[in-house]
Amino acid sequence: MSWDVMIFNFDGAPAPVLDDWKHGDNKPLGPTQEVRNHIARTLFHTDWSDPNWGVHEGDGFSIEFNVDKQDPPENMMLHIRGGGGNVIAAIRRFAEPAGWVAMDVSSGDWIDLSQSTCPGWEGWQGFRDHVTDQHAPDDGSQ
């Protein structure tokens, strides 16, 4: 179970309102190898042993980067897991210098990377906690 975020490039322009977004409004992220190198430079210790799936272990969270096999990729999906840490700051660290924007896939809202958290991440953590609490052993062994 993950919180999913999609990364887009609008060439430095603000992301359009989703209702007004048309195919072609966004640009490719850049050549695939440059995308990987950029993430590796800005999020140290990101493992790219599988070129299509980078993994970054943050403080209390992990981010899996699913880079499209198309070169250059039109977007990138992040699968985020964990229960703490400042994942928004990690996304900001690689997205802002490249002029990329992030969208919360579950809500369809653009993520304000200037904030330390976002409702989607908080909501996902609450949902995860609810699901795991329901499936926790009831024998006192927690």
Side-chain angles (χ1 to χ4, degrees), residues 17-112:
V17 175
L18 286 176
D19 291 341
D20 298 334
W21 181 13
K22 298 179 284 306
H23 180 70
D25 283 350
N26 61 300
K27 311 289 186 231
L29 298 175
T32 303
Q33 189 58 49
E34 287 182 24
V35 169
R36 284 188 213 108
N37 290 344
H38 171 72
I39 292 168
R41 277 191 313 273
T42 54
L43 285 182
F44 305 116
H45 309 296
T46 299
D47 177 6
W48 287 102
S49 22
D50 178 341
N52 297 315
W53 285 92
V55 178
H56 174 75
E57 295 294 335
D59 182 22
F61 64 89
S62 68
I63 302 173
E64 291 180 350
F65 296 88
N66 182 358
V67 180
D68 193 356
K69 292 179 183 178
Q70 172 185 327
D71 193 2
E74 291 290 321
N75 54 58
M76 174 174 41
M77 182 71 80
L78 311 181
H79 305 284
I80 302 166
R81 295 175 177 81
N86 194 341
V87 72
I88 303 303
I91 296 170
R92 178 177 48 248
R93 193 172 308 130
F94 74 84
E96 281 188 348
W100 299 339
V101 296
M103 181 181 73
D104 179 343
V105 173
S106 60
S107 68
D109 294 329
W110 297 113
I111 298 171
D112 182 353

